[in-house]
Amino acid sequence: MINLDKLADYIIDNPRKVLVVSLLFLALCISSIGYRYIQTGEPVERSIDFKSGTQLVLEYKGNLDIGQATARVQELYGASAKVRVLGGITNTVVIDTDKQVNMNDVDNLAKSLNIEITGRSLQSIGSTVGQEFWGQALTAIFLAFVAMSVVVFITFRSVVPSLAVILAGFSDIVTAVAGMNLFGIQLSIATLAGLLILIGYSVDTDILLSTRVLKRKEEGDVRHRIKSSMKTGLMMTIASIVAVVVLFFISSSPTLDDIALVMIIGLVADMPYTWLQNVSILKIYTEREDK
Amino acid sequence: MINIKKLLMEPKLIIWMLAVLIAIVAIRPMPTLGDSGTVMFQTSLKKGIDIEGGSRALILLKDSSQEMAQKTKSILERRIDAYGVKEKELRPVQIGDKWYVQLELAGTTEEELRPVQLGDIWYVQLELAGTTEEELRGLIEKQGKFEAIIARNVTMVNNSAVFTFNGKQYNLVYIPADDAVKIGNLTAKINGTIQLDGVPLEFSKKVGDSVTLSAIVISGDDVKQVFTDSQHSRVASLGNGWEFEFSITISREAAERFAKVTSDLTPEFSNGRNYLSSDIELYLDNGLVDSLKISSDLKGKEQPDIQISGPGSSRDDARKKMNSLQSILQSGALPTEIEVAQMNTISPSLGAQFMRVALVGIVFAIIAVSIVIFIRYRDPKIVIPIITTSITEALLVLGIAAMIQWTIDLPAIAGLIASIGTGVNDQIIITDEIDKKREKEQLNMKRRIKNAFFIVFSAAATIVAAMIPLMTVGAGGVMGFAFTTIVGVFVGILITRPAYAKVLEYLHAGE
């Protein structure tokens, strides 16, 4: 077990070093997204929600050989088609393709895969509306960010601490996106919801930290206040992670699965951004204020 | 010891308990026996199609305006109504600068689940057989432009002929340079239309020395009544396949046109009966539905009732095609061409499965979180209130959803989970803030609670700020997530958080 107290002391004693490490990590995430952007023309892989195509969700009985299923699906719908199995308490297979598919095709597919389909859903989207949704999604991310920043500024009414909180929120989203790219999770309407709720989840630990450090001078020295926030904040994040991990393993719905997965990545990333990055910025800031 | 009696009389606690009570009444959980003998709960909650099964379509209008969206909406509404689907929701929506009509067909209501009414919800039943999505497309993707045409072939010599129409003779000349025909002094280019004796005549094609003139006898507006009763509409086997047949009543003008066009046709003997020399062809959105022979005794008659028939590959197929065509004829044509831009369809069984999984997920997530909290505080006096508060918070959000008839779909459940999560976080903050009495500076309880709530309110405000922009994305696809989260946050800061803080206050006072 890591000695949290010692770790906290190290962070508090070496804020500049810690900040550099954290910013380097953030830079790594940004460049990975940038690299993807240069390679493919988009920062994150868009799901059919934001392009066009069909998503089939099939609950099935029988044994599905994922390799064979992928081969069959790609034979039918082209090499860009994807197959994944969601192992929750039931078996669900999710097929994504940029083609328009109808339910009759599904029956034929099931037959050729030797599975019995017990439940199904089909979602298809045309390119016009997909593009519109994409525009809306970008606007929503931007507006959510601006709105969050306004709230943070109103809360703290001073520039550096507010910027630190906003930077933490930003870093968290960027890292979540980099993580999505790493794990091959597409940006869908569901994962967009996951990303935006992350803004809320990531910022509340930062608000806790900044409030205690900046507005509670009566509660002991900065070191003490940082450590007490850390105790509370880590508890909050761990409780949230445990909840979404449980949800992720039980769920067999792509909507819930995707939201949970994005939140797990973002919540894990929230810990270093709050307790390394934001703590070190606040420490440097309070040192300067005291001078 | 804590003074439980006094605690329960606290206004914040009373509000909280009352709210929970009202929520339970609003949700109205009624235990019923499921088909497999398991006890299930029926509630007054309105469930989304991704839970209950059903379809949702977003229809793009080629000619896009709010007025078009309204008109399209009401025609589609009539069409789907005529098709026999009861539970539907249509609304015009604007995305970017374009107008759409959003259509939602829920699976089944509790009422419709009764076996007697199974006939009414066969749409859902068919979906289980895997055809609804296609069927729905067939129904709504048709603009519904209906035309009945009787074609006349005229054979020319040296690009001219005498053309008899409604007893009158006209000189018909083909002009090769323009690819046009001149009848009397009227000229029609290829695919162009002229009015002859009040009948629209289209110059449809020229093959060799023969030109085809199509008389448009009936168009969509002429359909006055569509018979769907068993006397006037039926499905029967025909040879190897199946055929549907139903009658419609057409307008007087259309009947007159029928008389005029048929008066020049000659009877021909085929299959043991006399038919006229041209067939009547039925078109839907410019696609041929069927071509029917006209009995020779209808020649020159103003016929108000017309038989419409068409083929089907099976009895079911013929019945579906008939139902679809009847519905389209009844509702009339849409004012603009349309395209299905987005289609979601989910079978009731999968929806129910998602719901079960989500509920199991919530229960296990709460248990897991309880364990984590217990490991941290090692005090049931703190763990129990935290968990109780979280559960009641979920109840309150569902209660509000039931009261305002807010649809609970999967994104809404995800939002509920997200708001419970922030709730637990807030309670951890409150617990730790109140627990500060052990620290150097002794703050009074009021001050400590105020401190805690400063953080709780700020965090709540950022979540609401981040969720509001999400509400408009994807034609309301994640509206449920954003809205439920926001409701959850408000329930938290207004009802459950204050109550929880009060409970902790008493716990600490009791120590």
Side-chain angles (χ1 to χ4, degrees):
Chain A
M1 184 98 184
I2 319 160
N3 191 329
L4 260 183
D5 206 51
K6 273 193 182 154
L7 184 66
D9 280 330
Y10 182 84
I11 297 165
I12 296 164
D13 292 335
N14 304 283
R16 283 171 183 81
K17 270 190 207 163
V18 170
L19 182 60
V20 168
V21 171
S22 166
L23 290 178
L24 278 177
F25 182 67
L26 175 62
L28 182 73
C29 292
I30 293 176
S31 14
S32 83
I33 296 170
Y35 179 72
R36 196 186 186 285
Y37 182 75
I38 292 165
Q39 294 281 308
T40 62
E42 40 181 44
V44 58
E45 197 181 348
R46 283 181 273 169
S47 85
I48 63 148
D49 289 352
F50 298 128
K51 291 189 299 192
S52 71
T54 309
Q55 182 177 65
L56 293 168
V57 181
L58 307 171
E59 187 195 55
Y60 63 91
K61 274 186 194 153
N63 278 323
L64 184 71
D65 176 348
I66 179 109
Q68 188 202 338
T70 309
R72 180 81 188 104
V73 166
Q74 290 185 342
E75 190 183 309
L76 283 171
Y77 306 131
S80 62
K82 284 201 175 80
V83 179
R84 61 192 163 125
V85 170
L86 301 184
I89 51 179
T90 56
N91 288 322
T92 318
V93 58
V94 182
I95 298 166
D96 289 293
T97 154
D98 49 15
K99 302 267 180 339
Q100 301 290 333
V101 180
N102 67 38
M103 282 290 191
N104 287 347
D105 302 344
V106 176
D107 291 324
N108 297 331
L109 182 67
K111 244 176 245 161
S112 67
L113 292 178
N114 268 327
I115 50 172
E116 185 198 334
I117 293 175
T118 49
R120 61 178 77 203
S121 106
L122 178 146
Q123 184 186 356
S124 79
I125 190 154
S127 59
T128 324
V129 81
Q131 284 298 334
E132 285 292 347
F133 287 174
W134 178 236
Q136 288 181 335
L138 296 178
T139 316
I141 294 176
F142 177 74
L143 286 181
F145 219 81
V146 170
M148 177 272 278
S149 309
V150 170
V151 171
V152 170
F153 265 107
I154 292 172
T155 307
F156 294 109
R157 292 195 182 91
S158 61
V159 179
V160 175
S162 301
L163 285 180
V165 173
I166 294 164
L167 177 67
F170 170 78
S171 311
D172 208 20
I173 302 303
V174 165
T175 307
V177 171
M180 284 167 69
N181 287 339
L182 186 68
F183 293 107
I185 306 164
Q186 298 176 328
L187 186 70
S188 62
I189 290 179
T191 47
L192 174 74
L195 282 181
L196 293 189
I197 197 80
L198 264 186
I199 293 182
Y201 271 86
S202 90
V203 167
D204 67 356
T205 45
D206 295 298
I207 291 177
L208 166 83
L209 168 72
S210 306
T211 309
R212 285 207 188 152
V213 172
L214 300 171
K215 301 198 170 186
R216 303 286 172 76
K217 303 238 160 83
E218 71 282 0
E219 286 174 17
D221 61 358
V222 171
R223 181 180 304 268
H224 175 78
R225 280 177 272 149
I226 290 176
K227 282 185 186 172
S228 86
S229 328
M230 209 178 251
K231 239 176 163 179
T232 308
L234 283 176
M235 181 61 205
M236 287 158 66
T237 309
I238 289 167
S240 305
I241 291 175
V242 166
V244 276
V245 165
V246 168
L247 188 68
F248 173 73
F249 279 108
I250 288 175
S251 146
S252 55
S253 127
T255 308
L256 294 182
D257 244 47
D258 289 352
I259 293 179
L261 203 50
V262 169
M263 286 188 70
I264 293 170
I265 300 170
L267 287 169
V268 170
D270 180 48
M271 294 196 274
Y273 286 127
T274 309
W275 308 115
L276 301 182
Q277 183 173 290
N278 204 356
V279 161
S280 51
I281 294 174
L282 282 177
K283 182 71 195 348
I284 296 167
Y285 174 75
T286 49
E287 275 171 9
R288 289 207 176 148
E289 289 278 286
D290 290 344
K291 271 175 199 168
Chain B
M1 259 314 281
I2 5 163
N3 190 338
I4 290 180
K5 230 185 239 172
K6 201 170 158 220
L7 171 65
L8 291 178
M9 291 307 285
E10 283 286 345
K12 281 173 185 161
L13 268 283
I14 293 175
I15 291 173
W16 173 61
M17 289 181 292
L18 263 181
V20 171
L21 208 67
I22 293 169
I24 292 172
V25 172
I27 299 168
R28 280 203 302 279
M30 300 287 282
T32 51
L33 216 54
D35 19 292
S36 50
T38 48
V39 178
M40 306 201 324
F41 281 93
Q42 280 194 347
T43 64
S44 66
L45 287 168
K46 201 171 143 196
K47 284 172 262 165
I49 61 151
D50 51 1
I51 289 174
E52 206 172 20
S55 297
R56 182 194 289 135
L58 195 60
I59 299 149
L60 172 67
L61 312 176
K62 290 274 161 70
D63 182 2
S64 168
S65 71
Q66 188 173 12
E67 199 197 341
M68 281 296 172
Q70 276 296 349
K71 276 188 193 157
T72 306
K73 176 196 162 230
S74 50
I75 291 171
L76 283 180
E77 211 154 32
R78 255 181 286 156
R79 193 177 284 180
I80 294 161
D81 215 29
Y83 198 68
V85 179
K86 285 231 177 76
E87 201 171 322
K88 59 190 174 298
E89 228 179 280
L90 289 108
R91 56 180 166 268
V93 287
Q94 193 178 21
I95 299 168
D97 53 358
K98 293 191 188 68
W99 280 89
Y100 297 78
V101 172
Q102 192 170 48
L103 160 70
E104 230 179 88
L105 305 172
T108 49
T109 60
E110 286 142 49
E111 190 190 39
E112 280 178 321
L113 262 177
R114 267 189 267 138
V116 253
Q117 288 191 311
L118 270 177
D120 279 330
I121 53 151
W122 61 283
Y123 145 79
V124 174
Q125 300 302 311
L126 282 170
E127 195 206 24
L128 285 168
T131 46
T132 289
E133 177 255 348
E134 199 193 350
E135 221 182 316
L136 187 63
R137 270 183 192 274
L139 192 64
I140 58 181
E141 255 183 343
K142 294 274 186 295
Q143 192 186 353
K145 200 175 122 224
F146 175 74
E147 273 176 349
I149 281 166
I150 297 176
R152 295 277 307 273
N153 291 319
V154 184
T155 310
M156 302 177 296
V157 179
N158 291 333
N159 282 340
S160 74
V162 172
F163 174 55
T164 313
F165 189 78
N166 195 21
K168 296 181 196 108
Q169 291 194 333
Y170 298 88
N171 280 325
L172 184 149
V173 182
Y174 176 70
I175 308 160
D178 297 342
D179 196 11
V181 285
K182 197 171 175 210
I183 300 168
N185 45 20
L186 300 166
T187 311
K189 285 202 170 188
I190 186 87
N191 295 327
T193 309
I194 53 164
Q195 294 279 334
L196 206 61
D197 223 356
V199 180
L201 267 187
E202 189 197 273
F203 171 31
S204 348
K205 65 179 181 207
K206 176 181 180 287
V207 181
D209 279 334
S210 170
V211 290
T212 305
L213 299 167
S214 304
I216 302 164
V217 178
I218 310 166
S219 56
D221 295 340
D222 293 314
V223 179
K224 292 298 161 203
Q225 199 182 353
V226 179
F227 292 97
T228 54
D229 59 292
S230 56
Q231 266 190 321
H232 296 91
S233 98
R234 63 183 163 270
V235 170
S237 69
L238 180 81
N240 294 326
W242 290 81
E243 191 193 47
F244 67 81
E245 197 175 77
F246 64 94
S247 28
I248 59 171
T249 305
I250 56 174
S251 67
R252 243 185 84 90
E253 297 78 24
E256 279 170 19
R257 284 197 289 272
F258 180 84
K260 286 175 188 168
V261 177
T262 51
S263 66
D264 309 304
L265 302 177
T266 48
E268 284 170 359
F269 190 75
S270 108
N271 290 334
R273 282 183 68 181
N274 274 315
Y275 291 107
L276 293 179
S277 51
S278 287
D279 296 347
I280 183 163
E281 293 161 3
L282 308 174
Y283 288 88
L284 189 67
D285 292 340
N286 301 321
L288 185 67
V289 176
D290 206 12
S291 173
L292 308 171
K293 295 202 170 303
I294 308 166
S295 172
S296 61
D297 41 282
L298 293 178
K299 178 183 157 116
K301 284 212 180 110
E302 284 183 21
Q303 184 64 23
D305 290 327
I306 299 278
Q307 289 280 335
I308 292 191
S309 65
S313 58
S314 65
R315 177 193 276 273
D316 201 41
D317 182 51
R319 195 166 52 89
K320 268 188 257 170
K321 280 185 176 153
M322 176 171 79
N323 202 340
S324 171
L325 188 58
Q326 283 173 332
S327 309
I328 289 168
L329 288 178
Q330 269 176 322
S331 65
L334 296 174
T336 168
E337 272 183 62
I338 56 169
E339 182 194 309
V340 175
Q342 188 192 15
M343 171 75 93
N344 279 350
T345 177
I346 177 163
S347 65
S349 58
L350 187 61
Q353 190 59 43
F354 281 167
M355 179 73 176
R356 255 198 302 280
V357 166
L359 291 180
V360 172
I362 292 175
V363 170
F364 276 90
I366 289 177
I367 293 172
V369 170
S370 317
I371 293 170
V372 174
I373 291 172
F374 187 78
I375 292 173
R376 165 81 160 80
Y377 295 105
R378 305 204 178 262
D379 186 357
K381 274 193 295 195
I382 287 173
V383 180
I384 292 166
I386 289 183
I387 301 311
T388 317
T389 312
S390 297
I391 293 168
T392 56
E393 210 168 289
L395 266 179
L396 290 175
V397 173
L398 290 177
I400 290 172
M403 271 187 264
I404 62 170
Q405 281 297 293
W406 175 256
T407 306
I408 296 295
D409 51 9
L410 277 184
I413 289 176
L416 186 66
I417 296 167
S419 67
I420 295 175
T422 61
V424 170
N425 282 352
D426 287 350
Q427 290 169 61
I428 293 172
I429 293 174
I430 295 169
T431 312
D432 286 2
E433 287 284 326
I434 287 180
D435 203 34
K436 281 203 184 329
K437 65 169 189 172
R438 294 188 196 102
E439 288 165 10
K440 288 181 209 163
E441 185 98 12
Q442 288 285 325
L443 288 170
N444 66 40
M445 183 58 78
K446 247 195 185 142
R447 181 68 197 277
R448 278 182 259 152
I449 291 177
K450 209 182 139 208
N451 280 346
F453 272 85
F454 177 80
I455 302 172
V456 168
F457 282 140
S458 309
T462 51
I463 289 187
V464 173
M467 283 298 105
I468 288 174
L470 189 63
M471 292 176 111
T472 55
V473 180
V478 275
M479 179 83 178
F481 182 83
F483 187 79
T484 311
T485 306
I486 292 170
V487 169
V489 166
F490 274 103
V491 163
I493 58 174
L494 294 178
I495 302 173
T496 47
R497 236 51 92 235
Y500 176 73
K502 206 32 109 182
V503 171
L504 279 205
E505 210 180 306
Y506 271 75
L507 280 177
H508 279 278
E511 270 171 14

